[in-house]
Amino acid sequence: MSALPSESPTSIDIRSVYQPIVDLSTRSVTGFEALTRIPDANGQVSFQDVLRDAERQNVIVEFDWRCRLTALRGALAAKFPPDLDLFVNAEPVALDAPAPRESLALLADARDVSIVVEITERHLMRDPAGLLRAVDHARHWGWRVAVDDVGADPSSLALLAILRPDVIKLDMCLVQNRSTAENAAIVAAVIAESGRTGATVVAEGIETEAHEQWALDMGATLGQGYFYGPPADLPSFAGFTTSRTHSIDQSTVTVRAPTAVTPYALVSALGPPRRADDQLLEALENDLLRIAASAGASTIVLMTVASPGGLAPDREVSLNDIASCVALTAVFGAFLPGDAARYRAVHIGADEPLARERSLVVVSPSFTAALIALETDAGSYRYALAYDSQTVLSAATVLLRRIPVITGS
């Protein structure tokens, strides 16, 4: 590996190369993924090293936009056809920031390019609220959204249902290591998500005909890898025509941004609430927590606490146990967590509407449920129990947007 260059990541020389993405049924090219390369006198500096350096220097936003704009500039120079898809990588923190003012003309020139922005797998759970905003901003630009390297990290699978991507890109480990039970569970979850939303599935890392067949067996319709070509300069598109039979249709994925500010406000319009006391709510919570504990690493558990005193000792223990084996556990309330807390604690002001709610939301690839309650008197609640994915995912989104970024990691 080459040493890092002495220049700042914002001024270092970069170039874009492009790897073809093909229709697996015909092997016809449907698009290209733009990849950033850092040339130097000794060969290639690792892009990932420069990316980490940009993060350490707090210039990740500027560097990430520069990489993406370089990719667009190269596509425009090659007269990239509008019926091919251009995949570009993005750090969520950069998408969550305004585009550089000097880039607006270039972005306007690229408005006819069919852009799919790939959300990278790094730090997906560090800032879920920022990630949701980043996806909103990408769609504001008219770009479609892909979640990259699904299967490499449980958190990427956990967030599929929340983000509702247009494209799901399977990590190469799924194509090249097909026999594990864990991979089978990931494939099943991806097929279910694709069937629910219409998301396109792309398999990465295809290097042999056997990999290609396994990708088809997993439900992928598009593929990428050295079997179809290495990253390189874009070809000449003069007189280019495409015979592709599969395209990424943005209209297939329905994105619903919840307008409610609390989970109970979201479900209160669904019908008359039931009534419960502490004992019944605790029993319902215990049942959902039991399921969450066995739902696997790609699970999100979100709880709101109505009591300013915080969690009961036994509930603290159970949530700490769950937090050690799922992708994300967050507790919202007007209390301070114990020193041994393993979950993410999100402080809520005592006068906020959410401080009166006692809710539990569980999202996993195979199970969604939300127990949402509003305290009316001491020990008395109105509640709703929802299992339909639209309601549960909307409740989860409302809460995820309240989680602050983890800094310094």
Side-chain angles (χ1 to χ4, degrees):
M1 180 182 299
S2 301
L4 283 175
S6 57
E7 302 100 312
S8 165
T10 58
S11 60
I12 185 176
D13 286 341
I14 64 172
R15 62 185 290 260
S16 292
V17 292
Y18 303 81
Q19 187 170 38
I21 295 173
V22 307
D23 185 323
L24 289 174
S25 63
T26 65
R27 294 183 183 170
S28 61
V29 174
T30 67
F32 290 83
E33 179 183 355
L35 301 163
T36 299
R37 294 292 184 261
I38 317 289
D40 81 328
N42 299 316
Q44 293 284 345
V45 174
S46 165
F47 171 74
Q48 293 300 325
D49 284 345
V50 176
L51 192 66
R52 284 189 286 269
D53 199 38
E55 195 167 32
R56 285 193 296 269
Q57 295 182 32
N58 199 30
V59 293
I60 187 70
V61 171
E62 295 87 344
F63 179 65
D64 187 72
W65 268 108
R66 185 167 174 240
C67 293
R68 193 158 51 255
L69 294 170
T70 299
L72 294 180
R73 195 173 293 110
L76 290 174
K79 301 188 184 308
F80 198 84
D83 54 351
L84 292 184
D85 298 311
L86 179 65
F87 286 69
V88 294
N89 291 278
E91 291 289 320
V93 67
L95 281 180
D96 192 26
R101 185 178 298 275
E102 64 274 14
S103 72
L104 297 181
L106 175 60
L107 290 170
D109 290 341
R111 62 185 178 275
D112 293 330
V113 178
S114 177
I115 296 172
V116 182
V117 62
E118 297 189 21
I119 304 296
T120 57
E121 81 282 6
R122 300 176 340 110
H123 314 315
L124 284 179
M125 289 303 181
R126 174 191 290 184
D127 185 15
L131 180 61
L132 288 167
R133 291 194 304 271
V135 168
D136 290 344
H137 292 164
R139 290 193 164 113
H140 173 76
W141 281 104
W143 302 340
R144 283 157 296 163
V145 173
V147 175
D148 195 17
D149 295 340
V150 170
D153 187 315
S155 61
S156 61
L157 195 62
L159 284 168
L160 283 186
I162 302 293
L163 297 179
R164 299 172 177 86
D166 304 273
V167 179
I168 301 170
K169 295 195 75 176
L170 302 177
D171 186 74
M172 67 175 61
C173 69
L174 298 177
V175 170
Q176 298 179 2
N177 302 284
R178 57 174 292 175
S179 60
T180 69
E182 180 183 4
N183 285 0
I186 293 169
V187 170
V190 168
I191 290 174
E193 182 65 19
S194 175
R196 186 177 70 85
T197 67
T200 298
V201 179
V202 181
E204 297 182 297
I206 297 176
E207 298 180 359
T208 66
E209 287 192 14
H211 292 164
E212 181 182 65
Q213 185 57 55
W214 178 227
L216 286 165
D217 293 344
M218 290 191 295
T221 55
L222 303 182
Q224 179 180 355
Y226 278 78
F227 188 58
Y228 311 111
D233 293 335
L234 283 172
S236 171
F237 290 111
F240 177 87
T241 59
T242 178
S243 59
R244 68 179 182 173
T245 58
H246 182 88
S247 60
I248 301 168
D249 183 358
Q250 188 172 18
S251 65
T252 60
V253 176
T254 301
V255 179
R256 302 180 180 88
T259 57
V261 296
T262 72
Y264 191 83
L266 184 72
V267 302
S268 59
L270 298 180
R274 299 179 176 90
R275 295 189 176 275
D277 57 15
D278 278 315
Q279 186 175 3
L280 176 57
L281 270 189
E282 184 174 355
L284 293 172
E285 287 172 353
N286 287 339
D287 187 54
L288 290 184
L289 289 172
R290 176 185 56 79
I291 296 172
S294 60
S298 298
T299 303
I300 295 172
V301 178
L302 307 171
M303 173 173 275
T304 66
V305 180
S307 169
L311 295 167
D314 58 339
R315 183 65 78 234
E316 179 95 10
V317 170
S318 63
L319 284 172
N320 277 336
D321 289 342
I322 289 172
S324 66
C325 61
V326 304
L328 173 67
T329 302
V331 180
F332 305 74
F335 70 96
L336 294 175
D339 293 337
R342 300 175 186 169
Y343 53 81
R344 298 274 291 274
V346 182
H347 181 75
I348 301 298
D351 57 345
E352 292 189 52
L354 188 59
R356 295 179 56 207
E357 295 189 13
R358 176 176 170 179
S359 302
L360 176 61
V361 181
V362 179
V363 177
S364 79
S366 59
F367 178 79
T368 60
L371 172 64
I372 300 171
L374 177 71
E375 188 173 30
T376 55
D377 297 301
S380 180
Y381 301 85
R382 293 195 296 265
Y383 80 96
L385 184 59
Y387 293 95
D388 67 286
S389 61
Q390 180 179 334
T391 299
V392 177
L393 294 176
S394 293
T397 301
V398 166
L399 293 176
L400 286 169
R401 290 184 184 275
R402 297 290 303 263
I403 299 179
V405 61
I406 293 179
T407 58
S409 62

